[in-house]
Structures are given as C-alpha cells and as structure tokens.
Amino acid sequence: MTVGLATTNLANNWLNMLRGTAFTAPAGTYIKLHTADPGAAGTSNPSAVTTRAQATFSAASGGALALSNSPSFTMTATETITHISVWDASTAGNFLWSAALTTSKSVVNTDTLTFTTLGVSLSPLAA
C-alpha cells in the first residue's frame, strides 16, 4: 500500500457526506511514528516509541490545514523515522491516514523529535 487516507474510517465517511449521511468528526488527531510504510491498517513498521502525540490544526483555508501545535516524541531507541500514521485516539481508536516524511529522520535513544510542520491538503481545487 502507498500512504494515504484510510478507506473505511475517513475516505468513505467524507464521501458519504455527499449522500447526506452524517459523519462525526474525530474529537482529536494523534500521530504515531513508523520506520517504514504503516500499511493499509496503519499498524505496520511501528517505531519503538509506543505513545501517540496529539496534533492540532488551524482552520482550513484554500483546501488545506496546517499544524497549530508542535507534537513531540522522546525517542526510546536508535532508528530512522520515515512515516507517520494519524489516529482519532491516543490509544486504540481508528486509523485515519498515513504519510511519508519529506526527509527521513535518524534518531537515538533520548532524542526529542518535534514536528513543526504537518500540512494536509485536498486537490485539485476549482479556482
């Protein structure tokens, strides 16, 4: 699988809104780190870090969202982080989407990995 939207938990719900089917938005979004593609369920290749960090976003504009906080992780092993998955809960919950980092990040035990940017956009847009 390539990275992207979770079919059942996000994409189908968004599309079904066009049919008038109500969709309850997640109460929060939480980032999980991965050392390779998270796969279709968002659970493959997890980082040694087992916690998820909450991500908050600014109001959408121009079909895009931008990160409004700086989620951080205290690393517990030496590894290279290449991907993230996004969930609707800090533990368990539903997988929403996954993405590859623009640049992989090599970390060692006790490093702090902080996200300062994380954009989400929909396209193409009618201008």
Side-chain angles (χ1 to χ4, degrees):
M1 172 200 167
T2 59
V3 295
L5 301 176
T7 303
T8 304
N9 299 322
L10 193 60
N12 288 347
N13 287 331
W14 283 354
L15 291 171
N16 281 328
M17 286 189 315
L18 300 175
R19 298 183 322 112
T21 302
F23 169 62
T24 302
T29 51
Y30 298 84
I31 299 171
K32 169 75 177 133
L33 303 176
H34 295 266
T35 59
D37 192 322
T43 55
S44 297
N45 307 303
S47 164
V49 174
T50 59
T51 58
R52 299 176 188 164
Q54 186 168 22
T56 58
F57 296 94
S58 303
S61 176
L65 290 174
L67 194 60
S68 65
N69 71 335
S70 298
S72 65
F73 299 85
T74 300
M75 304 311 296
T76 58
T78 297
E79 58 189 357
T80 300
I81 304 301
T82 63
H83 291 72
I84 63 165
S85 59
V86 179
W87 297 77
D88 66 0
S90 60
T91 59
N94 298 297
F95 167 58
L96 301 175
W97 77 84
S98 61
L101 300 183
T102 303
T103 304
S104 299
K105 181 64 177 170
S106 295
V107 295
V108 299
N109 188 27
T110 73
D111 276 357
T112 300
L113 178 61
T114 302
F115 285 79
T116 56
T117 60
L118 175 62
V120 181
S121 63
L122 300 176
S123 65
L125 299 175

